[in-house]
Amino acid sequence: MSAANFRNIAVIGAGTMGSGIAAQIANAGHNVLLLDLGAKSAGEKTPAENAIDRLLASDPPQLMSKKNVARITTGVIDDDFNKLADCDWIIEAVVERLDIKKALYRRLDAVIGADCVVSSNTSTIPIKLLVEDMPSVFRQRFAITHYFNPVRYMRLLELVRGSETTSDVIDRLADFNDRVLGKGVVRCADTPGFLGNRVGVFALQVGIDETLKCNLAIEDADALFGRPMGIPKTGVFGLYDLIGIDLMADVVVSLGNILPADDAFHAVGAANPAIAAMIAAGFTGDKGKGGFYCLDGTKRMARQFAGYEGNDMPPLNPAKTKLPAAAIAAAEAAARQDEPLFMLLDGHDDQARFCRRVLGRILHYAASLVPSVTTTPQDIDDAMKLGFNWQRGPFEMIDAIGQQRFAALLDECGLTVPAFLEDGAPSYSVQAGSLMIRHADGARQPVNLPEGVMRFHMTRRTLHPILTNDAASLFALDGDLRLVEFHSKANALTDASMEIVAAAANDHGAGIIIHNDAQHFSAGVDLNAFRRMTEAGQWDEIDGFLLRFQTAVAALKYAPVPVVGAPSGLAAGGGFEVLAHCDKLVAHTNSVLGLVEAAVGVVPSGGGVKESYLRWHAHLGDWEQAAWKAWMNLGYAATGSSPELASRMQYFRQDHDETVMNRDRLLPRAIQLVTEMAASYTPPKPPKAELAPAALAEKMAGFMQDGVDRGDFMPHDKTVAMQIATIMVQSPDEDSPIDEDGLFARERAAFIRLAKTPETHARISAMLDDGAPVRN
């Protein structure tokens, strides 16, 4: 049966997870019934109705568009239970109590149809216990579908079958969650904690344990056990605050209760009296009064566990802002495409010891789960990458550091190399042009991906670039296609990035794809380079860089072959300007698109203003209205948190571009699309534009001055906005018709005028130094 056969879906339990699952089903275009208990008293909203309010207010938004909430019908379990008779898939997401779940399943069995699939979102209760009292026909169509929070953004689905679950049910659930809900599906055995939490929670607990043993500040621990290791920047303590310290404490207890007595988790799973004191006092993380990190006014404070041995809450001191030297060195190594882990492991101080012991214990634990929990390292790697946003899984890390270093890490931790890895062979290898993975029996098989799924970081290992530098690479794909991959830090764009874009337009093959599968497509142009040039007064150099950027994207736009952009994550500023010059986009549904330059006091100058203006004119048919619409979007540095929302700003064209729910299917669809387009492709003709009437500038200036007078804008906001206006609005002494090169030139001139102002320099410096833009 196909994924389309799930047509009537219900979620029982409207808590954080249940409502998130319902929201993702609605995001996928399906109606869903969301049931929970009744209201506590007359006149109050039900829990399901309150869940809708939370979804509408969620940040980051769980809904790709607020209108998707109309696909969610709320109800009360006791009043609306008979509606479940029409469902073909019911997801149970009630409280983690076995007695409550069993009672619910008995009620369901009496109501639902003979073909209805039931699944549980549990993360701690074995499937054999959930359905041990149920009839065989119920057990045959029951599974665990364990999603990760927040459901829209976390890609992992752990799919667990019971001893009697039919293969058809598992295949249907896997297919629907992959193709329709956009999940990376890892099929797990019915073992405690499955895979994601089994390794992920252990890793967090080891991070806390080694922070205390190595006497580190929590800021240093998070800075090291974060981006330098290819782990989200929240690290350990920041992630605890984000999830909720009380919730994490419950998860740790639950895992401890179900794991075998000899499991290494128990050495790090004991309750911490200081953390218990924090929870008791309401310091439960971001949702409470703060946690490991707190705000004192605007000052960020951090708990001081180093040297603290009490049972009360550790004191708060101003958080460090300076990164550890090893973290900086690792970032620089990654930018050079060298191995960043070497920079973390090779020192002799407490920070290096922390890195070695954390990695040694985590990697050993992951490797020890083969073959008892899974027969393939890929399952564990996928679980950590899809469920915890690690850039590499544990076995990929082991391969990266090499068997000798891995053995040394384990020796320092008093551990031995697990039997699975004793022969020292890498887990991944390339054979005959295919990426292979070693299984528990020693046999090597191709990496296991569903049909139509492609992860370029894996495919890349089988390719040799046509051209490469520190910022980007150009690859040849089957079918004589070309692929441009950005791979600098945050995929920030530099001259080197645009060198590869220009090379692709020249060595174009049969078609070009702009894609990478990093967390973010590109955060924009490298502002560090602009700061250096502005401090040195190198205005000609700035103009030269912008001209080269514009020339590269124009060459892309007018290449004799089709060009398809396939972004995921953040595609902002210069990153979006590259995409704006593609023929079509195939965007992941969680892509954030927009031009944000005004936030740091400059204007889009890689064709962003030009393309925004032209797109609005194509949509409205009026140059003055187009200038006003583009000006408003650009001046507010607006972005869309989904392609659908970005379409309101003409950054995504719903009648022209496409979206894909599963980011692992972006590249295959882009390949298919560019191949189809190549059969009858004609490059676009350069546009002829008109400038908006000069009188519009007065309206814009008045709008900005009113905002300054109200206190909505700072004076420099008006300066920036009026420079954006100069690109699209005619001055009194010039003619209106203008070609594309003329619009490009106006962008560069406006950028340089703003770059010369001290206010813009302050904004850029503040963003680079503090990580967020300020308003002047």
Side-chain angles (χ1 to χ4, degrees):
M1 293 186 180
S2 69
N5 285 343
F6 287 131
R7 299 189 182 279
N8 297 309
I9 306 172
V11 178
I12 304 177
T16 299
M17 290 304 303
S19 61
I21 295 167
Q24 186 66 357
I25 293 169
N27 287 334
H30 285 254
N31 295 327
V32 58
L33 175 65
L34 179 62
L35 300 183
D36 208 311
L37 301 174
K40 291 183 178 179
S41 58
E44 290 188 359
K45 289 186 176 182
T46 67
E49 291 169 336
N50 285 326
I52 296 298
D53 292 341
R54 293 196 309 273
L55 290 176
L56 291 171
S58 58
D59 184 21
Q62 294 263 39
L63 294 164
M64 294 174 186
S65 172
K66 288 186 178 181
K67 70 179 183 181
N68 291 348
V69 78
R71 299 191 182 110
I72 305 175
T73 301
T74 61
V76 174
I77 292 174
D78 288 341
D79 298 339
D80 300 300
F81 206 78
N82 286 338
K83 293 179 180 179
L84 299 173
D86 297 326
C87 291
D88 49 16
W89 181 25
I90 298 171
I91 305 153
E92 171 269 301
V94 302
V95 64
E96 289 285 86
R97 278 182 49 185
L98 183 58
D99 58 332
I100 293 176
K101 292 178 185 288
K102 283 187 170 184
L104 176 61
Y105 301 155
R106 287 193 291 270
R107 291 186 64 185
L108 285 173
D109 190 45
V111 171
I112 61 177
D115 295 324
C116 179
V117 173
V118 180
S119 67
S120 174
N121 187 59
T122 185
S123 60
T124 59
I125 303 176
I127 195 170
K128 61 185 178 183
L129 294 181
L130 290 173
V131 293
E132 60 184 353
D133 302 325
M134 299 303 296
S136 179
V137 291
F138 187 92
R139 294 197 296 266
Q140 289 171 10
R141 48 200 167 90
F142 184 90
I144 288 175
T145 49
H146 178 221
Y147 298 89
F148 280 63
N149 186 47
V151 179
R152 174 183 169 186
Y153 299 97
M154 301 308 294
R155 300 168 60 202
L156 177 62
L157 172 77
E158 293 181 316
L159 179 59
V160 185
R161 72 184 303 168
S163 60
E164 296 184 49
T165 313
T166 66
S167 296
D168 175 68
V169 165
I170 292 296
D171 290 344
R172 289 173 63 195
L173 287 170
D175 184 56
F176 187 90
N177 278 278
D178 169 2
R179 294 180 182 274
V180 180
L181 299 188
K183 297 302 171 186
V185 179
V186 175
R187 303 189 187 202
C188 300
D190 189 23
T191 55
F194 310 137
L195 286 175
N197 282 344
R198 181 80 175 262
V199 178
V201 176
F202 176 81
L204 293 176
Q205 294 305 109
V206 168
I208 294 175
D209 188 51
E210 291 297 344
T211 300
L212 301 180
K213 288 179 177 177
C214 295
N215 209 32
L216 288 192
I218 66 169
E219 310 96 287
D220 288 340
D222 281 348
L224 294 166
F225 188 29
R227 282 178 172 167
M229 291 188 187
I231 292 168
K233 66 178 181 179
T234 48
V236 177
F237 299 94
L239 183 57
Y240 250 75
D241 280 354
L242 181 64
I243 296 173
I245 299 172
D246 53 342
L247 177 59
M248 280 303 306
D250 290 342
V251 170
V252 169
V253 170
S254 295
L255 273 176
N257 289 337
I258 61 176
L259 288 171
D262 60 349
D263 195 275
F265 180 86
H266 297 295
V268 292
N272 183 301
I275 293 176
M278 290 168 57
I279 295 172
F283 287 91
T284 55
D286 295 348
K287 66 179 181 180
K289 297 188 291 185
F292 292 110
Y293 297 100
C294 299
L295 286 178
D296 182 0
T298 59
K299 184 181 293 185
R300 190 172 188 242
M301 310 292 285
R303 298 279 171 196
Q304 300 302 301
F305 280 85
Y308 180 74
E309 298 180 355
N311 290 332
D312 296 329
M313 287 189 295
L316 288 166
N317 282 341
K320 294 181 178 181
T321 57
K322 185 177 180 180
L323 289 174
I328 296 172
E332 292 172 345
R336 297 190 303 269
Q337 297 191 70
D338 293 336
E339 178 50 60
L341 293 179
F342 295 164
M343 309 308 297
L344 300 177
L345 302 176
D346 290 348
H348 302 286
D349 57 8
D350 285 340
Q351 293 178 359
R353 185 164 68 94
F354 167 81
C355 293
R356 289 194 297 270
R357 291 187 59 83
V358 161
L359 274 180
R361 294 174 72 182
I362 294 170
L363 299 181
H364 177 271
Y365 188 74
S368 71
L369 301 180
V370 180
S372 61
V373 175
T374 180
T375 61
T376 168
Q378 186 189 341
D379 284 345
I380 296 174
D381 283 353
D382 283 353
M384 298 313 298
K385 291 188 292 185
L386 298 172
F388 285 80
N389 275 341
W390 287 20
Q391 291 180 12
R392 293 183 290 193
F395 292 91
E396 291 172 316
M397 290 187 186
I398 294 171
D399 283 357
I401 63 176
Q403 191 67 22
Q404 186 174 354
R405 284 177 185 267
F406 176 57
L409 295 183
L410 300 192
D411 186 63
E412 183 171 343
C413 298
L415 302 168
T416 58
V417 176
F420 174 62
L421 298 176
E422 279 183 343
D423 64 1
S427 296
Y428 296 84
S429 61
V430 177
Q431 296 180 4
S434 296
L435 184 61
M436 312 292 283
I437 181 76
R438 181 173 63 161
H439 285 241
D441 60 3
R444 291 191 176 271
Q445 301 178 23
V447 292
N448 182 28
L449 296 174
E451 183 180 355
V453 161
M454 190 173 181
R455 297 173 184 163
F456 188 67
H457 69 276
M458 289 182 166
T459 303
R460 186 203 303 118
R461 297 178 64 168
T462 69
L463 303 174
H464 295 287
I466 297 171
L467 184 66
T468 187
N469 57 40
D470 288 347
S473 297
L474 176 63
F475 294 92
L477 301 179
D478 291 343
D480 195 31
L481 302 182
R482 301 291 181 264
L483 184 142
V484 173
E485 180 198 34
F486 301 135
H487 48 63
S488 60
K489 181 180 179 182
N491 285 337
L493 304 180
T494 64
D495 258 329
S497 312
M498 304 319 292
E499 174 190 342
I500 299 298
V501 171
N506 182 53
D507 180 10
H508 48 69
I512 304 169
I513 297 168
I514 315 293
H515 171 75
N516 62 75
D517 58 6
Q519 184 176 4
H520 296 299
F521 175 79
S522 173
V525 170
D526 182 7
L527 288 177
N528 281 296
F530 281 130
R531 176 160 71 171
R532 290 191 295 269
M533 288 187 284
T534 56
E535 288 174 344
Q538 295 174 327
W539 313 119
D540 288 343
E541 285 80 357
I542 290 177
D543 187 68
F545 169 78
L546 295 176
L547 179 59
R548 290 188 293 275
F549 193 110
Q550 293 173 345
T551 301
V553 295
L556 204 63
K557 180 175 181 179
Y558 299 112
V561 296
V563 181
V564 172
S568 59
L570 179 65
F576 176 74
E577 288 178 302
V578 173
L579 296 174
H581 291 83
C582 297
D583 291 299
K584 285 181 178 288
L585 298 185
V586 178
H588 183 229
T589 45
N590 285 344
S591 299
V592 178
L593 308 174
L595 295 164
V596 297
E597 286 85 347
V600 290
V602 293
V603 300
S605 299
V609 179
K610 167 184 69 74
E611 287 299 313
S612 185
Y613 186 38
L614 294 173
R615 288 184 179 198
W616 271 111
H617 179 262
H619 181 64
L620 298 172
D622 182 279
W623 291 109
E624 183 173 355
Q625 292 182 42
W628 180 263
K629 285 286 192 179
W631 181 74
M632 291 291 285
N633 292 340
L634 298 166
Y636 279 109
T639 61
S641 60
S642 68
E644 182 176 356
L645 296 179
S647 70
R648 301 175 185 178
M649 305 159 210
Q650 298 303 309
Y651 296 145
F652 184 85
R653 299 161 294 181
Q654 284 193 302
D655 59 345
H656 183 80
D657 301 323
E658 298 183 12
T659 59
V660 173
M661 283 290 285
N662 189 334
R663 63 183 293 179
D664 289 340
R665 294 183 177 274
L666 273 180
L667 183 52
R669 176 54 186 154
I671 291 171
Q672 180 185 24
L673 182 60
V674 78
T675 302
E676 293 169 353
M677 293 170 63
S680 58
Y681 182 74
T682 301
K685 295 180 180 180
K688 289 291 185 180
E690 294 182 20
L691 296 174
L696 184 60
E698 296 181 12
K699 178 183 176 181
M700 292 173 169
F703 177 89
M704 293 304 302
Q705 190 58 52
D706 288 345
V708 171
D709 293 343
R710 290 193 306 268
D712 295 341
F713 306 135
M714 296 295 179
H716 194 57
D717 292 330
K718 180 181 178 182
T719 302
V720 175
M722 297 316 296
Q723 286 302 318
I724 296 173
T726 66
I727 300 167
M728 298 177 286
V729 180
Q730 181 180 1
S731 63
D733 57 349
E734 66 180 342
D735 294 330
S736 174
I738 190 168
D739 61 15
E740 195 166 38
D741 288 342
L743 289 170
F744 270 137
R746 293 166 85 95
E747 287 182 349
R748 299 199 309 274
F751 186 101
I752 292 172
R753 286 193 292 268
L754 287 168
K756 291 180 177 180
T757 66
E759 294 88 350
T760 286
H761 180 73
R763 287 191 181 191
I764 292 175
S765 296
M767 183 174 187
L768 293 173
D769 295 339
D770 300 333
V774 297
R775 297 167 62 81
N776 291 297

